[in-house]
Amino acid sequence: MEISRVTLIGAGAVGCVVAEPLSKYLGKENVEILASGERLSRYKKDGLFLNGNLLDFNYVEPGEAKKSDLLIIATKNLQLETALKMAENAVGKDTVILSLLNGIQSEEEIARKFGEEKTLYGFVLSLNSIHEKNQINCSNPGAVYFGEKDNSKSERVSALSQLFKNSGIKAINPADIHLEQWKKYLINVVFNTLSALTRSPYGGFRLEVLQNLVRKAGSEVVKVAKAENVPLKTEMLEDDIRLMCSHDIKGKTSMLQDMEAGRKSENDFFTGTIIRLAQKHGIEVPTCTILYELVKATEEAREIVN
């Protein structure tokens, strides 16, 4: 299997960082960036810039999309339903679909729409970028993690590994994609939420008070993960704290960027999902519940004021 045509939906902080090297390697004409309406007009008029450089992308209306070997979805969870509709023309019989969304549920929605046989599991870790209007500043492109649902070393996993290698994209096919996804999800639930509420960049996680909150919320996520048969461990929280403290002290989580820009956050997909799973297993998650309600209250109060 060879991947020579790629379609991407979600030209944001993650999507652009991945699409740019793919477009250079495969050729602009073989990497379609799907967009429509005002967004498409804005892209064509104003362009998108990565670290100050104008990105020479092939922007395409969803209705004009060609069948693709690989579809990458890099939107927020809030836009996933729209993205799946946009993708219909790009998905053919043998198209492989890779989600780079935060959280643990996008693959299930993709599988319901296009079939489990087309769906790979994935996410991006340690990408450090700030997206403001049409400007994306990335100090660390991070790494793409991906794999089959059953963790098999399939032909398409090999093909995707080769594509990423040839494009210069750091990519990892771990032994257990679900464990690695939950480890990233732990970061989403705990660090994204706390950073958004405290308006703290990565440097704030060097503070003892924030680290204590991380441990309280994180221990609840670990309990829920174990109930879901995912071998997440409390010690991994300490690894995450060290990871956050190693980032640029002025760098910001995606949720903090959403909060500052007045956009709706992925709160329902982070602490909200933990609460729902905890209820299923009869587990108490008081810290995550409070964090969820605080973000929800912040967003709803903002709507009243504005």
Side-chain angles (χ1 to χ4, degrees):
M1 178 184 180
E2 182 180 359
I3 299 174
S4 57
R5 288 191 60 82
V6 176
T7 300
L8 182 135
I9 304 175
V14 172
C16 284
V17 171
V18 173
E20 190 262 350
L22 288 174
S23 186
K24 284 185 176 179
Y25 171 67
L26 293 174
K28 172 182 174 179
E29 68 280 4
N30 293 315
V31 179
E32 295 186 342
I33 311 298
L34 299 194
S36 61
E38 184 273 335
R39 185 184 297 272
L40 178 60
S41 299
R42 188 172 72 249
Y43 287 169
K44 289 184 175 181
K45 178 185 176 183
D46 302 328
L48 287 168
F49 292 79
L50 179 59
N51 292 334
N53 299 311
L54 177 64
L55 295 170
D56 186 23
F57 281 160
N58 177 25
Y59 301 110
V60 176
E61 287 270 9
E64 298 175 359
K66 299 174 183 176
K67 293 292 184 285
S68 189
D69 300 317
L70 172 66
L71 167 65
I72 298 175
I73 301 179
T75 64
K76 295 292 183 67
N77 282 283
L78 295 161
Q79 289 82 46
L80 179 57
E81 183 178 354
T82 299
L84 294 179
K85 291 179 181 177
M86 291 174 64
E88 289 176 350
N89 279 11
V91 178
K93 179 176 176 293
D94 299 314
T95 302
V96 177
I97 305 174
L98 176 65
S99 167
L100 298 182
L101 277 66
N102 287 320
I104 54 173
Q105 57 210 51
S106 63
E107 287 85 1
E108 292 182 6
E109 295 183 43
I110 292 169
R112 280 196 294 270
K113 173 73 174 179
F114 292 114
E116 193 170 285
E117 73 281 359
K118 296 183 184 300
T119 308
L120 287 177
Y121 284 65
F123 61 92
V124 175
L125 184 65
S126 293
L127 183 147
N128 190 2
S129 64
I130 293 179
H131 186 187
E132 296 178 347
K133 297 183 179 179
N134 67 336
Q135 301 284 336
I136 297 165
N137 291 299
C138 178
S139 60
N140 184 355
V144 176
Y145 283 67
F146 68 96
E148 296 281 3
K149 184 177 183 179
D150 63 359
N151 291 312
S152 64
K153 305 303 178 183
S154 65
E155 181 183 355
R156 62 186 185 177
V157 163
S158 297
L160 190 52
S161 295
Q162 192 63 49
L163 173 66
F164 285 142
K165 180 180 179 181
N166 292 345
S167 303
I169 296 172
K170 183 178 180 180
I172 298 171
N173 173 227
D176 187 341
I177 187 62
H178 303 290
L179 173 58
E180 297 303 324
Q181 193 173 44
W182 267 86
K183 286 165 69 174
K184 169 65 184 298
Y185 182 50
L186 177 64
I187 293 174
N188 292 148
V189 172
V190 178
F191 294 90
N192 270 263
T193 306
L194 285 170
S195 69
L197 286 170
T198 61
R199 301 298 195 272
S200 174
Y202 291 126
F205 289 105
R206 299 181 182 189
L207 299 173
E208 183 179 358
V209 63
L210 266 180
Q211 290 186 10
N212 288 338
L213 285 169
V214 164
R215 293 182 180 101
K216 287 180 181 179
S219 64
E220 295 176 358
V221 177
V222 170
K223 289 179 183 178
V224 173
K226 289 181 178 178
E228 288 283 300
N229 297 314
V230 177
L232 207 60
K233 297 179 181 178
T234 305
E235 305 88 84
M236 294 173 182
L237 273 173
E238 302 306 316
D239 294 335
D240 290 339
I241 290 173
R242 286 189 287 272
L243 176 64
M244 293 300 112
C245 291
S246 72
H247 290 331
D248 179 355
I249 61 172
K250 294 183 179 180
K252 299 176 181 180
T253 66
S254 60
M255 195 168 179
L256 173 55
Q257 293 181 56
D258 288 339
M259 194 71 80
E260 289 181 336
R263 297 187 293 261
K264 185 173 176 58
S265 74
E266 294 180 287
N267 188 41
D268 285 340
F269 302 92
F270 293 171
T271 48
T273 295
I274 283 295
I275 291 167
R276 288 189 289 275
L277 290 174
Q279 289 173 342
K280 182 177 77 171
H281 295 290
I283 298 171
E284 296 292 328
V285 286
T287 304
C288 286
T289 299
I290 290 173
L291 295 180
Y292 171 80
E293 291 174 346
L294 284 171
V295 173
K296 182 178 175 64
T298 300
E299 292 180 332
E300 291 184 358
R302 182 179 63 205
E303 291 178 8
I304 293 174
V305 173
N306 295 333

